[in-house]
Structures are given as C-alpha cells and as structure tokens.
Amino acid sequence: MKAAWYEEQGDPAKVFKVGELPDQMPGPGEVKVKIRASGVNPTDTYTRSGSRRRGMPFERIVPHQDGAGVIVAAGEGVPKQRIGERVWLFMAQWQRAFGTAAEFCVLPSERAAKLPDNCSFTEGASLGVPWLTAHYAVLCDGPVAGRTVLVAGGTGAVGYYAVQIAKHEGSRVVATVGSAEKGRLAREAGADEVIDFRAEDVGARIAELTNGKGADRLLEPHFAKNAPLFPKMLAKLGTVIVYGAGGTEGVIPASWGIQNQPTIKFIYMYEVPAQAYVRAVADFERLQSAGKVKHLPVREFSLDQIAQAHEAVEKGNSGTRMVIVMT
C-alpha cells in the first residue's frame, strides 16, 4: 500500500518518505479501512518534530490520528455487516505505529465511527481530535445550559466545534477571534457574541456582556499566554478548561484564586473516560444527521504533499483544516 512515514524526528521536508509499505490485516476487534481522507492536527506535528516529545516511540511512524474512509475488512469479533460502512476515524495512531496517512489503516473497531451520509470524507477526516476535545471541554465539568461559556479562539479547529456544542447545550456563547472575518465565521457557528482580541479589551468586554460577573466557563487553548487574564474573564466559582499549553508556564494571582475559588481543569483528549468518547460520537451522529453541524473550510493536499500539509498546520492557519486526500 502507498503510505507516508518518517523514521526520525525533524522538519517535515527532511524526514517524510512516501512509498510502498506492506499491507495489514485486522486482528481481533479491529477493522481495516480504505482511507479516503487523512486529517492533519497539531498533535501530529508535535510527535514528528519532537517539539513536545523527544525520541521516536516506534522505529517507523505512519502519522495522523484522524481520517475517513470505508471499512473493507473486519477482524474476529467485529460484525461483518460493518464491511462497506462509511466511517470517520479517531485516535488511529494513539499508542500505535500506523495512522491514517496511507491507503489503508487498521485500528480498533470502536475508533471507526459511522459517518452520516450528509458528511463528506474530508469533513469526516477533520473531526477526531477537534470534535472529541471540544465535546469533552464543554461538558466535562457538568451541564452548561443557561451559563455563559467563553470560547477562546472560536474559529480554531477545536473552538469552532466548541461554539456549536455549547450552543446546542443551551449556553450563551461568547467567542474570541482575531479578525472581523473570523468573527463572522464564529457567529455563523452559533456564537451569541464575538470579541476581537486584537482590537478590543477582552476583559472589559466580558464584564460589559455579563454585567460584571464574568464567564461561568472558559475554554482555553493557550494557558501560558492567557492565564494572567483569567481574573478579568472568569466569574467567581467559574471553571477554566485547559486543552492547550500555549507556552511553558502560566501565572495567576494567588489572592484572586483564594477569593474567587476557580476550578482550573487540564484535559488530555487521548486519556479521558471511555464513556466520553461514546457520548461525543453519539452526539455528533445525532447533530450531523440533522444537519446541525458546521465544518471549517478544508485545504486539500495529496499524499505526496504531506510535508507541505504539516508545514501549513505549523503556521497556525486558524479557520482552515488541512486534509490529505487519497486518490
């Protein structure tokens, strides 16, 4: 099968190889999927570059956690009726050497979820890391109905879905964005209010929008950068859900913390309770089938252009998803 891989960490143009690798067959509880599209996430670039994890966990890595395609074979214990099913894949390369950047991918059956007919393969390949992270971030600290949820980076891959999930759950959604154009995109996703962090004082606007109370829940992708702003954005007894570091250290005033008793919860999408994945998958199927999920625009690359796709992700193109399309 044709695949892309690397055998050492480094710059994408230097380490990626594209060629033929031996085909795989599914073992017990696994399915084999013919990949139609493979999504590229920042987490894929961290492992490849070594920026967050030094050392190769496997001698050879076919990257990418997310993808979409059609099941072509099922291992022992998997219903044969699944063969021919359109699916979106998540955590395909988690603790495994082979991800979705190949013609075929073998993975546990539960990580290949049914893809609704009204969702394209490129959209399905954009789901895994962003949707699962957003869903857990919004809901891991309890219901948000009737509460103000502040989504930092409302047009990022995670933030864009978080805006929609929070809105469907009955919250008032405020999103921070980096431009007027991205503000329109966030509003289309369901944000009730948008704040341009490049042009406005975020803390002052949050105070204005909440009558001085602050947001009940804050979804934060850049903890180190934004932690000093928490006192201006968060309500007393509010919760910050941190899903991105944004640097090495974040500092908050201890006196504010004692007086306001915030909860600051760090999450790691790959190690959340098993039931959280089940609920996220079920909610996606329900909302997507009803036509209630919007997806960010996709920029397509061929497998031979995988290095360019990784470079594009590393540049931080908020508002666009990078996807490898298989021919």
Side-chain angles (χ1 to χ4, degrees):
M1 66 175 179
K2 187 175 181 180
W5 70 88
Y6 56 91
E7 296 169 339
E8 60 180 332
Q9 293 175 316
D11 294 337
K14 295 180 179 179
V15 302
F16 268 122
K17 300 177 181 179
V18 179
E20 293 292 323
L21 289 180
D23 205 356
Q24 297 178 294
M25 291 305 294
E30 296 181 331
V31 292
K32 178 179 179 180
V33 178
K34 181 174 176 57
I35 299 297
R36 297 288 300 275
S38 174
V40 189
N41 290 287
T43 184
D44 300 310
T45 70
Y46 302 155
T47 304
R48 189 222 70 241
S49 67
S51 62
R52 302 285 179 91
R53 179 177 182 173
R54 292 291 180 184
M56 293 281 291
F58 303 96
E59 291 183 359
R60 172 189 292 160
I61 293 176
V62 174
H64 302 171
Q65 303 288 350
D66 299 347
V70 178
I71 294 176
V72 293
E76 182 182 350
V78 179
K80 300 305 179 186
Q81 296 91 322
R82 294 210 70 186
I83 296 174
E85 185 178 299
R86 298 171 76 251
V87 291
W88 60 282
L89 314 183
F90 60 91
M91 296 171 63
Q93 201 241 308
W94 174 239
Q95 299 181 332
R96 300 166 72 91
F98 296 93
T100 67
E103 286 184 283
F104 298 96
C105 179
V106 171
L107 77 168
S109 176
E110 64 271 17
R111 297 183 191 174
K114 184 178 179 180
L115 185 67
D117 291 339
N118 64 343
C119 190
S120 70
F121 286 119
T122 55
E123 291 169 341
S126 303
L127 282 171
V129 169
W131 180 269
L132 295 175
T133 303
H135 192 275
Y136 191 65
V138 171
L139 298 171
C140 67
D141 199 52
V144 293
R147 301 192 176 202
T148 298
V149 175
L150 174 58
V151 179
T155 59
V158 175
Y160 192 66
Y161 286 137
V163 166
Q164 297 176 66
I165 293 165
K167 189 62 180 176
H168 287 305
E169 291 290 326
S171 66
R172 181 192 186 197
V173 182
V174 181
T176 65
V177 297
S179 68
E181 180 181 353
K182 290 180 179 179
R184 288 191 290 272
L185 192 62
R187 285 190 182 278
E188 290 174 1
D192 297 288
E193 305 287 349
V194 296
I195 303 172
D196 186 339
F197 63 82
R198 300 186 191 280
E200 301 177 83
D201 183 322
V202 177
R205 282 286 288 136
I206 285 292
E208 178 186 344
L209 293 170
T210 61
N211 295 319
K213 177 186 174 185
D216 300 297
R217 194 163 302 178
L218 165 61
L219 274 54
E220 181 55 70
H222 300 292
F223 174 75
K225 178 181 179 182
N226 293 330
L229 301 177
F230 291 172
K232 296 182 179 181
M233 301 189 292
L234 195 66
K236 187 170 184 176
L237 299 175
T239 300
V240 182
I241 307 297
V242 181
Y243 64 89
T248 55
E249 295 181 356
V251 178
I252 61 171
S255 58
W256 170 78
I258 292 170
Q259 293 166 10
N260 291 273
Q261 305 165 67
T263 296
I264 301 179
K265 185 180 180 74
F266 292 80
I267 65 170
Y268 187 44
M269 189 277 291
Y270 298 100
E271 295 180 351
V272 304
Q275 190 58 33
Y277 301 122
V278 175
R279 182 178 177 186
V281 168
D283 280 354
F284 172 73
E285 183 173 0
R286 173 177 58 85
L287 292 170
Q288 176 66 42
S289 297
K292 295 181 178 180
V293 179
K294 295 181 182 294
H295 304 275
L296 288 171
V298 168
R299 182 179 171 189
E300 297 183 2
F301 298 81
S302 69
L303 188 60
D304 292 321
Q305 295 173 316
I306 189 171
Q308 294 96 307
H310 274 237
E311 289 169 352
V313 170
E314 289 176 324
K315 290 178 182 177
N317 290 319
S318 175
T320 306
R321 300 288 284 124
M322 310 304 163
V323 174
I324 306 294
V325 176
M326 302 298 178
T327 56

